[in-house]
Amino acid sequence: MSFLSLSNLLKPSSWGTVRGGVHPEYRKALTSEAETLRMPLPQLLRVPLQQHSGAMAEPLVGRDDYVLKGQLIGKARGTMSANIHAPTSGRVIALGAFTAPHPSGLPVATITLRPDGEDKWGPHLPRLRPEMADPDEIAAHIELAGIVGLGGAAFPAAVKLNQRKRHAVDTLLLNGAECEPYLTCDDRLMRENAEEIVDGAGIMGRAIGVKQIVVGIESNKPDAITALRRFKFALGIPFSVKVVPAQYPMGSAKHLVLAVTGKEVPARARTAEMGVLVYNVGTAHAVHLAVRYGEPLISRIITVSGRGIARPSNLKVLIGTPISDIIDFCGGFVGEVDRVILGGPMMGHPVASLRVPVVKGTCGVLAMTASETRKSEQMPCIRCGSCVGACANGLTPFDLNAKIQAGDLEGAARVGLMDCMSCGSCAYACPSGIPLLQAFDYARGKLSERQSRKHQQEETKRLAAARKAREEAIAEAKKQMMLKRKAEMAAKKKAEEAAAAAAMPPPATATTIQGEATP
């Protein structure tokens, strides 16, 4: 491809821009040309029952149970939850708490499965013909397959689909930005499975009832752009590709909506309120597999990268695969590894143990050496404003941090703490090396704890008041019952007396005999 044709490819009708953001060293070349490999079965699979936004799934299996690939082993609990399926065939050897792939490192209920090596499928989910199915059928099928957002938030996909019932949604926006450094799993997915992604997008588009489907891709992914621009329609719905600048955090749903459609989503509002629903390209691919082939979400593509990895790769791995097995498959560590991160370097988090598993929201495993991690002594804030310029949400991070350090968490909340999306741009841009992101996360956690305690206290007061009112009502009811019984007894006594009086014979009456008059 000539330079001129490449320039034309990457030059859309109008560049979408967002405020703030940063341009970190992307280092995607480590894996951008690495074709996706399928990782073999590990010795153990640890499948957490909490790997999605919302309530933990309810286990349907017990120890020593034999399960088949695709079998439902965890049932969604409530409307905000997701089903969990067996990634392969084998025997359940444990059901209990295990370290979660979460910054807290706290244990979570986990099903440990020992694969039998046969990878034997159980009954597939029923297939749908999306051209004939109604929106509720498609949404129910996606819910049955346990599909969540694969961009990292792991929000149940069917719950988001059902926002069509509350808002007039006219645009389905696929997120192919992949703005985090190192990560290339979405890029490879778009290059290798473009047709399946477009089909999955069309299925979701029909379920929502949109007028158009757009995929937003950063300009540093020319092959993915070319692959998807071959399609003009997705199940009859107009389909197009919009190229956006390579700028972090372009992958944020609200900022991608602004860059692609020009619609700015207000703080604490949902994109659906602006007529746009946003899904990751990986989610669209999972929908295609579920609807067309009856496959639940039991695997995903991840990027394994960093200079501490012998063979950086893109891998298709089963949900529940331990991180240690993935690193071993990629040749193990090389050099002095400073930290291992789940996700990208900007919004990811260090792992508590290499035994933690891949979950539905895991997009990457990074082994970073000291040369890749930023280590600088923290200095006092010089109020240079770099963090303000980097904040994509238009906040004043130095002011937020000052209030937090002073213990004024409510004051920080008043100036936008809860509007921070934890992208880390401010900390990246800070020349003083102040851990702003950690401070904001800490403050939000403390506020949440206070609100929870306040809610608990208010709930206790409400319950106490309700109990008092209930006791008073019972006492009043008893009083009224006693008064009623007393009145009834008095009336009965009076009636009995009246009846007795009526039954008695009439008393004798004296008669005067008047004699004749004396002359």
Side-chain angles (χ1 to χ4, degrees):
M1 181 181 291
S2 69
F3 174 77
L4 182 60
S5 60
L6 180 62
S7 300
N8 290 333
L9 172 68
L10 300 180
K11 185 178 180 182
S13 56
S14 59
W15 281 99
T17 57
V18 296
R19 69 166 68 89
V22 293
H23 296 84
E25 189 176 345
Y26 283 105
R27 298 174 181 170
K28 292 179 180 285
L30 288 170
T31 56
S32 61
E33 299 308 312
E35 293 186 4
T36 303
L37 303 175
R38 184 181 294 273
M39 184 176 165
L41 287 173
Q43 294 297 314
L44 289 178
L45 289 167
R46 294 188 174 93
V47 186
L49 292 170
Q50 178 69 71
Q51 48 179 303
H52 49 264
S53 299
M56 181 182 299
E58 179 181 359
L60 299 180
V61 295
R63 183 169 180 170
D64 294 329
D65 285 353
Y66 181 79
V67 298
L68 295 171
K69 184 174 183 177
Q71 178 180 330
L72 184 67
I73 58 175
K75 184 174 178 56
R77 185 180 296 169
T79 55
M80 187 67 172
S81 187
N83 287 330
I84 307 292
H85 300 81
T88 188
S89 57
R91 194 164 298 279
V92 176
I93 63 171
L95 176 57
F98 190 81
T99 306
H102 185 269
S104 67
L106 295 175
V108 64
T110 302
I111 297 172
T112 302
L113 175 68
R114 187 185 299 281
D116 60 7
E118 296 183 11
D119 204 29
K120 184 179 178 182
W121 272 96
H124 283 67
L125 301 176
R127 299 185 185 184
L128 280 184
R129 292 188 61 188
E131 301 85 354
M132 309 293 292
D134 63 47
D136 288 335
E137 283 183 295
I138 296 174
H141 199 79
I142 291 173
E143 180 180 6
L144 189 64
I147 298 175
V148 301
L150 297 186
F155 194 91
V159 175
K160 186 184 287 189
L161 271 182
N162 288 330
Q163 291 187 48
R164 72 188 190 280
K165 298 178 180 179
R166 298 190 298 272
H167 306 289
V169 179
D170 57 22
T171 301
L172 170 61
L173 176 58
L174 291 188
N175 190 342
E178 196 170 47
C179 60
E180 278 268 17
Y182 292 92
L183 301 185
T184 60
C185 52
D186 285 350
D187 183 16
R188 294 305 311 184
L189 182 66
M190 290 185 285
R191 292 158 70 172
E192 297 170 2
N193 302 93
E195 185 174 0
E196 290 88 346
I197 291 172
V198 174
D199 181 64
I203 293 169
M204 290 191 292
R206 290 181 67 86
I208 303 167
V210 297
K211 298 178 180 178
Q212 64 170 342
I213 300 173
V214 184
V215 55
I217 309 177
E218 283 192 334
S219 58
N220 57 4
K221 302 173 182 63
D223 292 336
I225 294 168
T226 301
L228 285 168
R229 276 192 166 162
R230 294 187 290 114
F231 303 93
K232 301 300 180 184
F233 293 94
L235 291 186
I237 304 171
F239 178 89
S240 61
V241 176
K242 295 290 185 181
V243 182
V244 295
Q247 174 187 359
Y248 182 85
M250 185 60 75
S252 161
K254 291 184 177 181
H255 295 90
L256 190 63
V257 167
L258 175 62
V260 171
T261 70
K263 298 177 180 179
E264 186 162 9
V265 183
R268 304 181 196 179
R270 297 185 182 278
T271 61
E273 297 174 40
M274 307 303 294
V276 184
L277 273 182
V278 184
Y279 282 93
N280 181 264
V281 289
T283 309
H285 185 253
V287 168
H288 163 80
L289 294 178
V291 173
R292 298 291 187 184
Y293 299 100
E295 295 184 14
L297 180 55
I298 56 175
S299 65
R300 66 156 299 148
I301 298 175
I302 66 169
T303 297
V304 187
S305 189
R307 292 174 182 165
I309 289 289
R311 295 192 302 272
S313 309
N314 285 298
L315 303 178
K316 185 171 185 179
V317 301
L318 296 177
I319 302 301
T321 302
I323 301 301
S324 56
D325 289 33
I326 293 171
I327 292 172
D328 289 344
F329 180 76
C330 293
F333 293 135
V334 292
E336 191 73 24
V337 175
D338 184 62
R339 68 188 65 174
V340 177
I341 293 176
L342 283 184
M346 300 295 285
M347 295 187 72
H349 57 85
V351 298
S353 165
L354 294 182
R355 298 171 65 203
V356 301
V358 166
V359 292
K360 295 179 181 181
T362 304
C363 51
V365 176
L366 306 181
M368 305 180 73
T369 62
S371 63
E372 297 172 283
T373 58
R374 179 179 178 181
K375 286 188 176 179
S376 59
E377 184 179 354
Q378 181 178 337
M379 302 293 289
C381 176
I382 59 176
R383 300 180 74 85
C384 63
S386 297
C387 58
V388 178
C391 181
N393 281 358
L395 305 177
T396 52
F398 70 86
D399 189 24
L400 287 171
N401 187 57
K403 292 183 183 300
I404 292 168
Q405 298 307 318
D408 184 12
L409 302 186
E410 287 75 11
R414 285 194 295 272
V415 295
L417 174 63
M418 306 312 291
D419 295 325
C420 170
M421 63 179 182
S422 297
C423 70
S425 295
C426 56
Y428 181 86
C430 178
S432 295
I434 300 173
L436 296 168
L437 178 58
Q438 289 87 339
F440 300 159
D441 287 343
Y442 163 81
R444 279 198 297 269
K446 277 293 183 182
L447 280 175
S448 177
E449 182 183 344
R450 288 183 186 179
Q451 290 171 356
S452 177
R453 192 181 302 118
K454 181 179 178 182
H455 174 74
Q456 187 176 7
Q457 291 171 348
E458 290 175 350
E459 185 68 7
T460 301
K461 290 180 181 179
R462 186 189 68 79
L463 292 174
R467 179 180 178 182
K468 183 179 179 182
R470 188 168 59 251
E471 290 174 345
E472 290 176 350
I474 292 172
E476 180 64 23
K478 287 182 178 180
K479 180 181 178 181
Q480 294 299 324
M481 184 176 66
M482 292 298 292
L483 290 174
K484 182 179 179 182
R485 289 180 63 184
K486 187 175 181 180
E488 289 175 349
M489 290 177 66
K492 182 179 180 181
K493 184 177 180 181
K494 186 175 181 180
E496 288 176 350
E497 290 176 349
M504 289 178 63
T509 304
T511 303
T512 303
I513 301 176
Q514 187 174 2
E516 294 180 355
T518 302

